[in-house]
Amino acid sequence: HFAPLEINDKFSEKVYKFYVQRLDYNKKFLLQSDVEELKKYEHSIDEDVNAGRFNFFNKSLEIITDRIQEAQTYYKDILSQPIDFTKEETIQLDAEKLNFCKSKEELKDAWRKSMKYQVLAKMGDMLESQEKAKEKSDTVKIKTKEEIEVEARKKVLKSNDDWFKRLKEFDRNDRLAIYFNSITGVYD
């Protein structure tokens, strides 16, 4: 590297920012209090790197593992009951415009809105497919919106189950790779 970076507090700040962003890009798991807890390490990452320690990483791994486990209960509870589409709501889908939730209640509500959005999108696809099938054949069984909503919730549940299964397969070494990539990313 032509101009090697000094491993100091400025380096630590950049690694912290990269890593927290990569740890929970869509802000679906960490709470603001978790980010504040990790921020205590913001100026000691350089010392960890120089000493070959993983204090910041270990704390982040502990927090994200717990939060992923909690979030798994959120979506399952939400999808176990019919979705209320009578309430008009908005959802921010641009991760860069999102903030970390301040409380578990706020995070659960963000998950509820996300599940509502996913079910609504799936229902739209299913209704469109049903209309196309109806145009091609008279023998197509037309499902009610209620039946489609139930089926859409099941499909969204399966999709999220698969996603969480992949998340759980992400082991310490996979997360450590993200941490190391955050460190090396500072040089770019």
Side-chain angles (χ1 to χ4, degrees), residues 12 26 33 50 52 55 62 83 85 89 92 99 114 130 138:
S12 290
N26 290 310
S33 59
N50 286 328
N55 297 332
E62 173 189 321
I83 305 290
F85 292 111
E89 298 180 292
Q92 179 57 257
N99 295 315
S114 178
Q130 180 172 274
D138 298 356

Side-chain angles (χ1 to χ4, degrees), residues 115-127:
M115 294 300 101
K116 180 178 181 177
Y117 172 78
Q118 289 179 39
V119 170
L120 190 59
K122 184 64 70 183
M123 286 177 66
D125 292 344
M126 293 168 70
L127 285 167

Side-chain angles (χ1 to χ4, degrees), residues 34-63:
D34 298 327
V35 175
E36 289 165 11
E37 177 73 21
L38 293 174
K39 196 159 181 69
K40 293 175 187 175
Y41 297 87
E42 183 180 28
H43 294 112
S44 64
I45 296 169
D46 58 321
E47 294 153 23
D48 279 0
V49 168
N50 286 328
R53 293 186 310 245
F54 295 94
N55 297 332
F56 170 65
F57 171 75
N58 289 335
K59 186 63 177 176
S60 72
L61 181 63
E62 173 189 321
I63 291 171

Side-chain angles (χ1 to χ4, degrees), residues 75-100:
Y75 82 86
K76 287 183 179 192
D77 288 346
I78 294 162
L79 294 172
S80 70
Q81 328 169 25
I83 305 290
D84 179 8
F85 292 111
T86 61
K87 184 177 178 185
E88 190 171 318
E89 298 180 292
T90 60
I91 184 170
Q92 179 57 257
L93 299 175
D94 184 349
E96 292 187 18
K97 292 181 181 178
L98 291 171
N99 295 315
F100 288 101

